Amino acid sequence: MELPSGWAAAELGELLREPLRNGHSASRAKGCDGIRTLKLTAVTLDYFTEENTKVTSADPLRVKDLWLEPGDILVQRSNTPELIGTSALYNGPRNWAIYPDLLVRVRVNSCLTPNFAALMLRSRKVRDYLKANAKGLVGSMPKIDHSAIAGIRLPVPPKAEQHRIVAALEGHLSHLDMAALALESARLKVIAFRKSTLLSFVPERVPESWEMSTVGEAGTVELGRQRHPDRHHGTDMHPYLRVANVFEDRIDTSDVMEMDFSGIFERYRLQPGDVLLNEGQSPHLVGRPALYRGTPPNVAFTNSLLRFRSRPDVLPEWALIVFRHHLHARRFMREAHSSTSIAHLSAQRLRSVEFPIPPVEDQKRLIAAFRKLVRDADAMDRTLERTIAQAKRLRSLVLDQAFSAQLVPQDPAEEPASVLLDRIRAARESQGRSKARPIQRPRLQASAPPPLSAATSLPVNAVQLEFEL
């Protein structure tokens, strides 16, 4: 791609004021207490407050070069594939915080303004480049080498044009950010509406025509079959569902495993209308229910799930509404017992949970009304999701235009970026030559005193000169 007039191109390594530096895991070292260390999420959020730091202790000698100053850019060198390469401009107090070892500090030289450099590093092309150059073993978080970060090729406009681009971008991006916040707020309202719908459809005080029963009285509750390595092969293999397949009102069939059910398949075979609930989950998700509607066919379930099969006068979809209500009302959380971070809902405890049963005709009416409200909420959520995706694409488009001289006017009278780059390169080469030049020792004159012999003693206050190598 041809560069605009007055622009130059250079790798990030040429545009650095000092070498790239990883952070330091300060919490692992003993030393000075009360040092503020940025959390990794601070870069994801792109703003820096005390909530995004933690107070740790660190060896002052190991962190003496890791203090941050305004204008530093931090890049995530390791994270999930979605977040790796995320960067942010540090705008916190000077000498206020150090940064963890999963971040790389970038300090640019006078060819780039820090604001312009930070915006470029957040562009889609740079993020794609960093993701493509991340390395790592399967199952581990990928990492980006310093060489890959230094190899980012960036367009360099004249300095004055950089300021104009930043000013224009900040205006456009602030409007996009405000729109994104409004869209996210609307999505939260849709989620709250869906939750309030679930809570309102199952009242705490039921009408007189309803029966207040328990789960065990409204149907049967059974635990699935336990998995075992010996059952990975056998003569009666069948697919089975486990906790990883069952989400709220959705069964994921993309990863269904098989197990031997010789002689007992019918006992664990699912029938359309069965409701599956997570037996073991994180506390706020335990009891998460989904209705089995016959897909995949001829499938069983394991003991990470509970199966509820309703009696004839309880419609399966009403049972699903009741269980979703209990999930969001945290009724299952109160009933479950926890071990570490996992909560378990036993069959016995589930059977004792209250289960209101309206007359069948009322169940049908409530199910139809509930379906309509959920469809409307889902439609709004999908629309908001598409709009948020469009806003992200528009953000990338604005950044692409900014870095191809299409966002602000150019001024031919401004000093081309190549001139400034050449001056910095020349100064760097000159500095390198001066460091590499051998030390010139003065020649001895005839009138000079003879050199000291090995036996000659030096005065005790002699000073040894140090020369820059």
Side-chain angles (χ1 to χ4, degrees), residues 392-444:
K392 290 181 179 179
R393 288 194 293 270
L394 183 58
R395 187 185 187 92
S396 297
L397 179 62
V398 170
L399 287 171
D400 290 343
Q401 288 182 337
F403 303 137
S404 57
Q406 301 178 39
L407 193 64
V408 297
Q410 293 186 274
D411 185 352
E414 293 173 354
E415 180 185 67
S418 58
V419 176
L420 180 57
L421 267 172
D422 289 341
R423 283 204 302 270
I424 290 178
R425 287 166 180 163
R428 185 176 295 150
E429 291 174 2
S430 175
Q431 184 181 12
R433 283 195 300 269
S434 66
K435 288 185 177 181
R437 187 181 299 119
I439 299 172
Q440 299 292 329
R441 299 186 182 276
R443 293 184 179 180
L444 296 175

Side-chain angles (χ1 to χ4, degrees), residues 263-393:
I264 57 170
F265 176 64
E266 290 302 321
R267 175 181 173 184
Y268 297 105
R269 183 177 184 174
L270 294 175
Q271 296 179 8
D274 288 346
V275 181
L276 296 172
L277 302 95
N278 292 177
E279 186 277 339
Q281 257 288 7
S282 54
H284 66 288
L285 294 178
V286 68
R288 186 169 60 182
L291 182 64
Y292 175 69
R293 304 176 188 273
T295 304
N298 298 319
V299 65
F301 67 110
T302 69
N303 65 342
S304 63
L305 298 172
L306 294 161
R307 177 180 65 187
F308 172 79
R309 184 170 290 172
S310 60
R311 72 192 195 193
D313 63 334
V314 177
L315 301 179
E317 293 211 16
W318 173 251
L320 179 64
I321 292 174
V322 172
F323 291 141
R324 292 180 69 183
H325 168 273
H326 288 337
L327 173 70
H328 289 281
R330 300 190 174 184
R331 180 66 183 87
F332 292 145
M333 185 190 298
R334 296 196 305 270
E335 198 65 34
H337 65 278
S338 298
S339 59
T340 62
S341 60
I342 301 298
H344 294 275
L345 181 64
S346 66
Q348 182 178 358
R349 288 176 178 267
L350 177 60
R351 291 188 187 101
S352 64
V353 173
E354 60 275 7
F355 193 103
I357 305 175
V360 172
E361 291 303 316
D362 287 349
Q363 291 182 45
K364 292 179 180 178
R365 176 179 55 81
L366 290 168
I367 290 170
F370 181 78
R371 283 177 178 172
K372 183 179 184 308
L373 288 172
V374 170
R375 279 198 304 268
D376 293 344
D378 289 343
M380 287 188 287
D381 194 35
R382 287 193 296 270
T383 300
L384 290 169
E385 188 176 8
R386 287 195 299 268
T387 308
I388 291 172
Q390 290 172 356
K392 290 181 179 179
R393 288 194 293 270

